[in-house]
Amino acid sequence: MASKTGNKIAFCAFFLATFSCALGLVFCMVKSPQAKSAAYMAAAVEASSLNRSEDAAAAALASVRLNPANHQNWRVLSQMLRASGRAEAAVQAHKIALRLQQGPAAVSPVYAMPAEFRLSQLVEAERKIP
Amino acid sequence: MIKRAGYSGALIAGFFSVFLLAWRGYAGADADWVFGFLAVFWSLIMMLRLMSLTEPLETRQVSGYLAQKIINSLREKQESTRRMLLEGAFGGSFVLFILAGISFALWQVFCAAFPADAPTLDAFSSTLDAFFGRFPQSSIEASFFNDPRVFEWSQGFLLFLSFCMMAFVLRSHAADSGMTRPALLVLCGYAASGLILCAGLNPSSSVTVDSAGLLGNGAGAMSYLLSTLPADKGLSFFDMLLLESGVVGLSILTFLLFVPLGYIALTAGQRKTDPLVVTCGFIAGTVLIFSVFLEFTPIVCGVMALSSMAVFMAWGASEVPALELDRKRI
């Protein structure tokens, strides 16, 4: 009886370890939206330097979709959109960048900011600008 | 010798995890792999420990009836000790701890699915929606893990799993009182020094309540809760929990800490545990509780992880004697 209980516990413990190992392996390969956003932005800058303005604008747009709290990404997007001939959208992106820049995002360190807080900065930026 | 090596390895792994967690705070999104790595790292250590507790013992054949009987008796005793150690480390109050952790994870999922204060985001969301509406939605950006909320929750769950495995390994080693006493003293010393360092240095403010905004995660009372916090205050772990998970999430996590501390107190009341273990357990628990109210920085995160290690070890050392183990034979 005691041996059966011990076997069950050992099985549960092995299951927990295996499950965690598999999940951990998956998460070693998954990147956060913030990291993906930075990668897209790098691709946008690269495409821009090769004069592929449409690709650059598309990559910059993907970057701001993934991390809309970063005002620098919005600023770059604005430039990319202007280069690809979409002046109206570029102006709107520039306005959003200005709003975010006046919010607290620029001065807040990354470590104390879970995703929800980063997103909530958008609300704060909206409030401060009449 | 191998037993001591295993014990030392588990402690070094714990210290390594503490440093990794603190470093992750500074590295930010560049170190997304840390939580996954910690889960893999601790799962391997846990598997090694499980193998050492479950592998069949070899039966040595000797000449002479009496000698063989003595050897068989010793083997049986060793087997039963290992079984009791496994049951003690993974059973008992540890089950309660895991259940509380799973309840917290479920509550987080509920909060993510039904955010209470979502309408407060509407003001800026409409501006963003109007902008993004100009462009077609890409399938790359609509992926499951691209939602920051899902990603943060998954990483938190991984961290909980890593802590569970760390708790199991340290609890299973804690029966060795010869190693546990000095290890606890060292851990408590570091934890208390870390707390004094963090509380005394009073680093500059990081995130204020203003910057935290009003996004409740389903807690349902964010406006009220925020009005009780000073606007220029740097957020502590307690504040962040309150903002993200509300009172319910906070209560579940408090219960999570209460399980080990309550068990240590219970056994101390029955005079079953070494007084040094009880003292160190409560010093570590107190440091952990104080750290929760300090401004959340990578160093405070490291101190919290270090204190958790000491609490797990004291918890294991308190629970194992209740099984009436023969300490010399573990």
Side-chain angles (χ1 to χ4, degrees):
Chain A
M1 185 65 187
S3 172
K4 276 187 180 174
T5 314
N7 287 344
K8 273 183 190 170
I9 288 176
F11 174 77
C12 291
F14 267 114
F15 177 78
L16 175 71
T18 313
F19 174 69
S20 306
C21 190
L23 209 61
L25 281 174
V26 170
F27 265 83
C28 278
M29 289 179 276
V30 173
K31 299 298 278 178
S32 67
Q34 289 81 13
K36 284 178 190 164
S37 167
Y40 271 116
M41 193 44 74
V45 172
E46 176 72 19
S48 175
S49 69
L50 296 171
N51 289 324
R52 289 187 286 133
S53 54
E54 278 299 323
D55 292 345
L61 186 68
S63 174
V64 294
R65 272 192 205 272
L66 287 166
N67 187 14
N70 190 328
H71 72 89
Q72 284 170 336
N73 287 1
W74 281 100
R75 204 173 283 280
V76 175
L77 173 66
S78 169
Q79 289 169 5
M80 304 286 176
L81 286 172
R82 191 169 291 116
S84 65
R86 278 172 281 191
E88 197 187 337
V91 169
Q92 202 177 350
H94 187 69
K95 279 181 185 170
I96 293 172
L98 281 178
R99 286 182 178 188
L100 287 172
Q101 195 174 8
Q102 289 166 10
V107 293
S108 301
V110 66
Y111 54 78
M113 295 177 64
E116 289 83 358
F117 293 162
R118 284 184 209 117
L119 195 60
S120 66
Q121 286 177 350
L122 303 181
V123 184
E124 193 60 32
E126 175 68 19
R127 277 200 193 130
K128 289 196 173 173
I129 306 298
Chain B
M1 189 63 192
I2 291 172
K3 187 182 70 183
R4 293 269 155 122
Y7 198 113
S8 311
L11 275 181
I12 291 166
F15 274 108
F16 176 64
S17 307
V18 167
F19 284 119
L20 210 55
L21 276 175
W23 172 75
R24 198 265 169 195
Y26 288 111
D30 292 336
D32 288 332
W33 53 271
V34 162
F35 293 100
F37 174 79
L38 276 179
V40 174
F41 182 63
W42 277 104
S43 65
L44 294 178
I45 293 173
M46 183 172 172
M47 280 182 195
L48 280 176
R49 183 63 180 151
L50 276 170
M51 279 192 263
S52 75
L53 288 175
T54 52
E55 70 171 342
L57 293 170
E58 59 180 272
T59 315
R60 194 174 295 169
Q61 298 295 332
V62 290
S63 59
Y65 173 75
L66 191 60
Q68 187 65 53
K69 197 160 187 183
I70 290 170
I71 284 178
N72 285 346
S73 159
L74 285 174
R75 184 182 169 279
E76 275 173 22
K77 200 166 185 185
Q78 211 173 346
E79 277 277 13
S80 78
T81 304
R82 289 197 322 171
R83 197 173 56 243
M84 287 168 83
L85 199 55
L86 180 64
E87 288 171 10
F90 203 76
S93 54
F94 189 66
V95 177
L96 211 57
F97 181 80
I98 288 187
L99 287 178
I102 291 171
S103 309
F104 183 71
L106 291 176
W107 171 248
Q108 286 289 86
V109 171
F110 174 79
C111 290
F114 305 101
D117 286 350
T120 55
L121 277 175
D122 283 353
F124 203 81
S125 294
S126 57
T127 311
L128 289 182
D129 288 344
F131 179 81
F132 288 129
R134 293 167 172 267
F135 308 96
Q137 175 77 30
S138 162
S139 60
I140 304 167
E141 299 135 27
S143 148
F144 182 68
F145 285 118
N146 283 350
D147 184 345
R149 196 181 285 262
V150 171
F151 194 82
E152 294 279 339
W153 174 82
S154 310
Q155 286 206 324
F157 185 63
L158 266 185
L159 191 61
F160 168 71
L161 285 179
S162 304
F163 269 90
C164 277
M165 291 185 287
M166 181 200 273
F168 168 77
V169 174
L170 291 177
R171 274 162 56 83
S172 71
H173 278 298
D176 184 351
S177 57
M179 290 284 278
T180 300
R181 287 168 67 98
L184 265 176
L185 283 172
V186 170
L187 283 173
C188 279
Y190 274 115
S193 311
L195 177 72
I196 292 164
L197 179 85
C198 295
L201 286 181
N202 192 19
S204 60
S205 147
S206 51
V207 179
T208 62
V209 176
D210 269 349
S211 69
L214 282 171
L215 182 63
N217 220 358
M222 288 305 100
S223 307
Y224 167 75
L225 291 170
L226 280 175
S227 67
T228 63
L229 297 169
D232 58 345
K233 184 176 177 286
L235 287 183
S236 63
F237 188 68
F238 176 84
D239 296 333
M240 286 200 278
L241 267 178
L242 200 60
L243 290 167
E244 281 193 52
S245 323
V247 180
V248 175
L250 204 61
S251 309
I252 299 173
L253 273 198
T254 308
F255 182 70
L256 205 67
L257 181 62
F258 174 77
V259 173
L261 291 182
Y263 201 92
I264 295 169
L266 201 69
T267 51
Q270 293 168 350
R271 296 178 188 281
K272 282 182 180 173
T273 314
D274 183 352
L276 181 81
V277 169
V278 175
T279 311
C280 286
F282 272 93
I283 288 174
T286 311
V287 168
L288 193 55
I289 291 167
F290 269 102
S291 308
V292 161
F293 294 101
L294 287 178
E295 189 181 317
F296 190 72
T297 62
I299 300 175
V300 170
C301 176
V303 171
M304 285 165 72
L306 199 69
S307 313
S308 306
M309 272 178 73
V311 168
F312 292 151
M313 193 162 276
W315 181 24
S318 304
E319 192 153 9
V320 171
L323 296 166
E324 293 169 358
L325 284 176
D326 179 2
R327 289 184 184 197
K328 289 175 188 170
R329 303 212 50 78
I330 295 162

